[in-house]
Amino acid sequence: MLPTHPPHSSPHEKASQTLVLGIESSCDETAAAVVADDGSVLSNVVASQTAVHAKFGGVVPELAARAHISQIDGVVNEAVSQARLSIHNLGAIAVTTGPGLAGALLVGVNYAKALSYGLGIPLIGVNHLEGHIASAWLGDPTFPLPCVVLVVSGGHTHLYRKGQTGECLLLGCTRDDAAGEAFDKGAQMLGLEFPGGPSIDRLARQGDPTAIPFPRFHQRKTSLEFSFSGLKTALLYTLRKMDEDARAKKLADLAAGYQEAIVQVLVAKALAALAHTGLSALAVVGGVSANSRLRTLLAERVKREGIRLALPPPVYSTDNAAMIALAGRQRLMTNLQADRPIDIQPSLRQGYVRPSVYDKEIAHS
Ligand code: KG4
Ligand code: ZN
């Protein structure tokens, strides 16, 4: 079902060219948001499916798709109404096309297609990573370019150099697990509730990060690549050596030590990327950037080293549609918006949507 107002119901309502509705359904959050002409967020609605997936200890794709179907219409209506708009005020719709779960992406993309067709406004396909990168400017619209961007989410640990015209050059990424995956799998081993990142974050506050040592992946100091699989194995072996009593007593220390090993590597590599590029502006985005210890450590380091940091509020770190709307708006403004059929791209990698400068940069790197 399309949102409330029938097409052409209010002739006096003038559509704005850059008032963009964002829709995000790539994983387990159904989200819609409206971003205004000046890039400010008019509404940001997120319906989380945590309760649906919690008992399975991870996201179940089929259940995610079904939950998106039941939520999407209400979420979009809510976003438009919280923005105090009629859908006829919208100038464009931006929707996540990938990467993500195929069934989940289909719900958002098909809904967005129908709505844009009904309203006669452009539809812009947005890469989920491009959305996360754009979130840096939701928190700080004046954040400068060029800058280094660290994307840390459930599926990605990627360092980019974002240039003056918005193009992104991949500097390094994980060789195996993403940082969010390391949090989620570590939490599972520790018997903590899903989603694992926030659980470890909370428990670690009561623990001593130095009590139980965990390895850091710093093979070559200059390398901008990450690896977290060894850390996961280290946790497994540490737990095997402990009986149940010891585990229960040391649970907070284990969480704190494990978390510290992840966030220290993230901070070290982000700083190494700044040194490598000679830049002094750093954006840290994606679900893991909501981590409180990472935030503290980053704040300390940037202060000491005179680095400008964009760390969007946690509500824009985890999956949301404001970042998709903003990325879509940036595409509209730079004419990267494509007049091409838009379809889901579940395995789209590393933040490149064709045709865009993103592709060209990576192809020549
Ligand atoms: O960006 P996001 O919401 O979805 C993806 O694109 O993957 O990131 C989700 C990831 C999950 O792995 C989750 O455990 C992690 O972000 N996460 C956190 C925190 N909040 C979410 N990790 C550590 N500390 C947090 N506070
Ligand atoms: Zn995400």
Side-chain angles (χ1 to χ4, degrees):
M1 204 179 88
L2 292 179
T4 39
H5 320 273
H8 319 302
S9 62
S10 313
H12 63 279
E13 288 171 348
K14 199 170 169 295
S16 158
Q17 253 240 309
T18 49
L19 206 52
V20 180
L21 169 71
I23 295 178
E24 153 66 36
S25 73
S26 65
C27 191
D28 60 342
E29 253 100 35
T30 318
V34 180
V35 165
D37 286 9
D38 62 357
S40 61
V41 181
L42 298 183
S43 64
N44 184 36
V45 179
V46 181
S48 170
Q49 302 175 6
T50 301
V52 175
H53 305 288
K55 60 175 173 286
F56 301 100
V59 178
V60 183
E62 181 58 32
L63 295 183
R66 284 189 215 171
H68 284 307
I69 290 170
S70 66
Q71 299 270 29
I72 194 154
D73 194 48
V75 167
V76 169
N77 275 309
E78 186 61 28
V80 173
S81 117
Q82 278 187 19
R84 298 179 181 278
L85 296 170
S86 139
I87 50 167
H88 298 286
N89 297 126
L90 299 173
I93 299 173
V95 65
T96 306
T97 52
L101 303 169
L105 288 165
L106 265 177
V107 178
V109 168
N110 284 341
Y111 186 95
K113 275 184 182 176
L115 189 55
S116 80
Y117 182 75
L119 294 171
I121 58 175
L123 178 63
I124 308 150
V126 171
N127 182 296
H128 186 75
L129 266 90
E130 197 181 340
H132 273 305
I133 292 170
S135 74
W137 283 266
L138 285 172
D140 183 357
T142 65
F143 191 68
L145 287 174
C147 67
V148 166
V149 185
L150 172 63
V151 184
V152 269
S153 69
H156 296 86
T157 306
H158 284 53
L159 270 169
Y160 297 98
R161 181 192 187 279
K162 189 169 169 74
Q164 201 71 54
T165 51
E167 76 285 0
C168 282
L169 173 69
L170 185 66
L171 299 171
C173 62
T174 182
R175 291 182 183 178
D176 39 56
D177 293 343
E181 233 174 319
F183 269 107
D184 293 338
K185 289 179 181 166
Q188 222 168 16
M189 285 189 246
L190 292 169
L192 304 178
E193 69 182 22
F194 170 86
S199 293
I200 289 188
D201 192 350
R202 276 192 302 274
L203 183 62
R205 285 174 210 161
Q206 298 150 37
D208 173 2
T210 61
I212 301 166
F214 283 98
R216 274 91 166 125
F217 176 83
H218 279 304
Q219 272 184 339
R220 281 180 295 124
K221 278 243 155 52
T222 50
S223 160
L224 298 178
E225 296 200 314
F226 303 83
S227 167
F228 295 106
S229 63
L231 175 63
K232 237 174 34 191
T233 311
L235 177 61
L236 182 72
Y237 285 125
T238 305
L239 289 173
R240 273 192 193 162
K241 282 188 232 145
M242 298 168 99
D243 61 26
E244 252 181 60
D245 244 26
R247 279 189 203 186
K249 271 195 206 132
K250 295 273 177 198
L251 202 59
D253 288 344
L254 284 162
Y258 186 77
Q259 170 178 271
E260 195 67 15
I262 299 174
V263 301
Q264 281 200 1
V265 168
L266 294 177
V267 173
K269 298 286 173 184
L271 293 174
L274 288 168
H276 173 81
T277 53
L279 297 173
S280 57
L282 170 68
V284 184
V285 298
V288 176
S289 71
N291 183 269
S292 60
R293 177 63 187 143
L294 177 62
R295 286 178 170 256
T296 307
L297 210 58
L298 277 169
E300 282 170 18
R301 292 301 299 270
V302 298
K303 201 170 162 199
R304 214 186 304 156
E305 307 200 14
I307 292 156
R308 174 133 175 216
L309 177 68
L311 196 53
V315 67
Y316 298 137
S317 299
T318 47
D319 286 351
N320 67 87
M323 68 186 195
I324 302 302
L326 190 67
R329 189 176 164 278
Q330 286 169 354
R331 279 187 167 262
L332 265 182
M333 294 178 70
T334 49
N335 289 324
L336 278 175
Q337 176 228 336
D339 287 328
R340 66 201 146 89
I342 284 176
D343 235 323
I344 61 161
Q345 294 174 284
S347 53
L348 197 60
R349 293 204 180 265
Q350 298 177 358
Y352 310 105
V353 178
R354 282 162 223 280
S356 92
V357 281
Y358 288 75
D359 278 321
K360 289 174 203 150
E361 279 284 325
I362 196 70
H364 298 145
S365 66

